[in-house]
Amino acid sequence: QVQLVESGGGLAQAGGSLRLSCAASNRSFSTLVMAWFRRAPGKERDFVAVIRRSGATEYEDSVKGRFTISRDSPKNTVYLQMDSLTPEDTAVYYCAANWYWFSPKYSESEYNYWGQGTQVTVSS
């Protein structure tokens, strides 16, 4: 089992920045695919970003150029740096993970481990 704990959510103004963190309990962190999803009010939980075992990253189109996913393997931690925030980024953000050999992509059903979520609110 992998336990994930998010932190760093809060309130930002449009154009501002936040950095989310997700700490994983597993020492085999380098064998995990780590991702971020978000759920806006009244909407489905959607893919935001993923970082693969190789270090390759992928992003949902609306956050490309604004968000950056990264990892610090010695700390078993993945980050989501969010810049140029807009009110449309307001959502609960979730950290997700699965073992790399499952090759999870962009659907929440492909991730077995989830954090509790952290609220991000962006004011206009």
Side-chain angles (χ1 to χ4, degrees), residues 3-15:
Q3 293 183 324
L4 306 174
V5 180
E6 300 108 328
S7 61
L11 178 65
Q13 62 181 206

Side-chain angles (χ1 to χ4, degrees), residues 18-79:
L18 287 172
R19 189 180 75 159
L20 307 183
S21 299
C22 174
S25 63
N26 199 285
R27 290 189 176 90
S28 297
F29 183 75
S30 64
T31 67
L32 290 170
V33 174
M34 304 291 297
W36 290 94
F37 287 74
R38 65 185 179 184
R39 179 183 284 136
K43 296 185 177 181
E44 298 289 318
R45 186 159 61 184
D46 292 326
F47 169 80
V48 176
V50 62
I51 184 164
R52 306 200 175 276
R53 189 189 185 195
S54 65
T57 59
E58 300 164 46
Y59 300 91
E60 190 272 326
D61 285 343
S62 71
V63 308
K64 288 180 180 177
R66 301 190 298 120
F67 291 10
T68 303
I69 187 170
S70 62
R71 67 189 177 200
D72 185 342
S73 293
K75 296 182 178 179
N76 292 350
T77 299
V78 66
Y79 303 96

Side-chain angles (χ1 to χ4, degrees), residues 1-4 32 95-99 111-115:
Q1 290 284 320
V2 177
Q3 293 183 324
L4 306 174
L32 290 170
C95 181
N98 208 351
W99 306 107
Y111 293 85
N112 289 343
Y113 307 105
W114 292 86

